[in-house]
Amino acid sequence: MASVPSLASSVNQRVADALASALPEAGGADPLLRRSDRADFQANGILALAKKAKANPRELATTVVEGIATGDLIREIEVSGPGFLNITITDRAIVETLAARAGDDRLGVPLAANPGTTVIDYAQPNVAKEMHVGHLRSAVIGAAMVEILEFTGETVVRRHHIGDWGTQFGMLIQYLMEHPHELDHKSDEEVSGEEAMSNLNRLYKASRGLFDSDEEFKTRARARVVDLQAGDAETLALWQRFVDESKIYFYSVFNKLDMDIQDRDVVGESGYNDMLVETCKLLEESGVAVRSNGALCVFFDDVKGPDGNPTPLIVQKSDGGFGYAATDLSAIRNRVADLGATELIYVVDARQSLHFKMVFETARRAGWLGDGVKAVQLAFGTVLGKDGKPFKTREGETVRLVDLLDEAVERATAVVREKAEKVGLTEAEIVENGRYVGIGAVKYADLSTSAARDYKFDLDQMVALNGDTSVYLQYAYARIRSILRNAGDRKAVPHPELELAPAERALGLHLDHFGELIAEAAADHAPHKLAAYLYQLASLYTTFYDQCPVVKPEPELVVGENRLFLCELTARTLSKGMSLLGIRTPEKL
């Protein structure tokens, strides 16, 4: 593995060195280099430094320019306006850097200098309940962050904090005890997710009906909750059946989403039961939590209810029951002390922001989140319908996630089928690509929006071949693969001696920015930045292909080889970037 310094970092270093010798007291100052439409890069840092040193910014800029050698990396550098530097780099440097990237499996993207251990909490469905559209974002955003962070060299521990505990299980377990065959399977063969969910739905409705209409059953169900919390063996065995049946269903949905969820990573609320008493004891003994009307509470100066009174975080209720806070705090203790986390990321709905703010602050006060550990909520907005209101069915019901994914695949398969004959796809390839395009469309629509914002779920737009969609990116990739297959005996070879056309330069500079972009998306927990980069890459490639003949009319040999090289590196970068978002890139479309 060879990490390749980007052109921007090499230019930045040259300017910083010249700045340090022109103004020694500014040693190590940042030249503030950025991409520019006036040149390849612009350095904007000299103005502020000159002001601080009481120097004339234009004179300082001129002195800096005199100290920078041109020729190999920098073609020309000029002072503009009050002291900006406009910098153009050589075509040779662009091609040589890209050639070095192409020679590395990781495209020259460096690993993080000080990687740590991140525990990421995402994809948190509830046992015995159907997954709906609200579960989509946590799963998709979380899975992309896992891939991006692992690619930078971070050790990532996945955690799926499923809702598998609580009072509702008393009703379900009691009903199953009295109707022991309700969760039996029709045959010994593998059970489908649909069958598992319909079993659970049927049982939930029947037990709920009985709970609401039969006082004696209600009393038995409430007593069953006490048995569950006390760890009664028979009760726990029946509870486990609900968890197992739900997992058959969950895994079938995650499979549809083309996501790999491992059993060892599913640690539900119940996984922290043994720690709850101790968590409360430690909080109370340290004075972080206090008793208020019998409940164990943590108070905050800046959190008040509408009546102006403080709103506490309730760790233990007055009846002795534990709230979500006790479980979440115990999970933090486990993740930091036992799993060695240096960062905790919670991919959870923005509406839970206050809860997590209070939980993190409590954990800090208790010393469980030390200085070396960051805890962040990667909060996401709501999925809206085309009308801009929260997404519901015509009947006003929450949309089932399975129905949504099936429809996306159906629509995408129709799009793939239209072009299938032209590229010679078999029926099996049409079906497989339909899945990849449909699921990719759903993921990309989610990931191309900043997580914090709401987004509209519009399948027509998502499977469109034009615009900022994953289908556009998948077609761009497949088109490049087709060009490379049809190049005959001509090879993809970099030629640093060539002069580049403007569209070749623009594409080359963007390809070189991939590593820096990955580092930024990882640090900011922002998969949408990667999606935006890939869309721009595909757009720049389209312009390049339109303006610079690759195959027809056939360019001169070395020019053609260099252009095929740019095609190949673009394809590899698109494919790598898409895979980090959890989206597949079919070779033919």
Side-chain angles (χ1 to χ4, degrees), residues 278-516:
E278 191 187 17
T279 294
C280 292
K281 187 166 161 259
L282 292 169
L283 288 171
E284 193 166 11
E285 282 175 357
S286 61
V288 171
V290 293
R291 292 277 165 193
S292 174
N293 300 327
L296 186 62
C297 302
V298 182
F299 288 93
F300 307 87
D301 294 340
D302 57 345
V303 183
K304 293 188 169 60
D307 54 3
N309 291 329
T311 304
L313 181 71
I314 299 172
V315 186
Q316 190 177 20
K317 301 170 198 163
S318 53
D319 65 3
F322 299 102
Y324 288 129
T327 307
D328 287 335
L329 288 162
S330 299
I332 288 176
R333 287 175 55 209
N334 165 260
R335 289 166 184 185
V336 176
D338 303 335
L339 301 177
T342 48
E343 179 164 45
L344 304 174
I345 301 176
Y346 292 78
V347 189
V348 183
D349 190 316
R351 286 171 291 200
Q352 295 192 43
S353 295
L354 179 59
H355 169 77
F356 279 102
K357 181 184 164 195
M358 292 158 88
V359 165
F360 295 159
E361 173 61 22
T362 300
R364 290 233 176 267
R365 290 181 192 174
W368 301 329
L369 269 181
D371 292 341
V373 188
K374 265 169 65 181
V376 286
Q377 181 194 358
L378 207 179
F380 55 81
T382 309
V383 181
L384 308 173
K386 282 187 189 180
D387 57 2
K389 295 181 179 143
F391 201 16
K392 298 266 195 264
T393 63
R394 288 207 179 110
E395 297 72 41
E397 301 283 314
T398 309
V399 180
R400 292 170 71 220
L401 185 51
V402 173
D403 294 343
L404 199 91
L405 299 177
D406 286 346
E407 193 186 342
V409 169
E410 201 179 303
R411 299 281 280 280
T413 306
V415 171
V416 172
R417 195 176 290 286
E418 266 174 49
K419 297 199 167 207
E421 207 174 312
K422 204 167 145 195
V423 288
L425 294 181
T426 64
E427 182 58 29
E429 286 172 327
I430 292 171
V431 171
E432 185 180 75
N433 288 353
R435 261 193 68 207
Y436 295 158
V437 172
I439 297 303
V442 170
K443 288 182 177 179
Y444 187 84
D446 192 318
L447 295 169
S448 56
T449 309
S450 159
R453 289 174 50 197
D454 300 343
Y455 83 98
K456 282 187 189 172
F457 196 94
D458 179 349
L459 272 178
D460 293 327
Q461 208 177 332
M462 287 179 190
V463 298
L465 296 173
N466 298 327
D468 190 1
T469 65
S470 80
V471 195
Y472 172 67
L473 299 177
Q474 286 167 321
Y475 267 103
Y477 174 78
R479 182 175 165 203
I480 302 174
R481 299 308 309 171
S482 163
I483 290 162
L484 293 166
R485 281 194 299 273
N486 296 332
D489 53 6
R490 284 174 309 137
K491 303 273 186 288
V493 182
H495 286 280
E497 73 281 5
L498 290 176
E499 206 173 296
L500 298 178
E504 292 173 308
R505 298 185 99 250
L507 178 62
L509 286 165
H510 193 66
L511 284 167
D512 184 55
H513 184 53
F514 184 56
E516 287 163 328

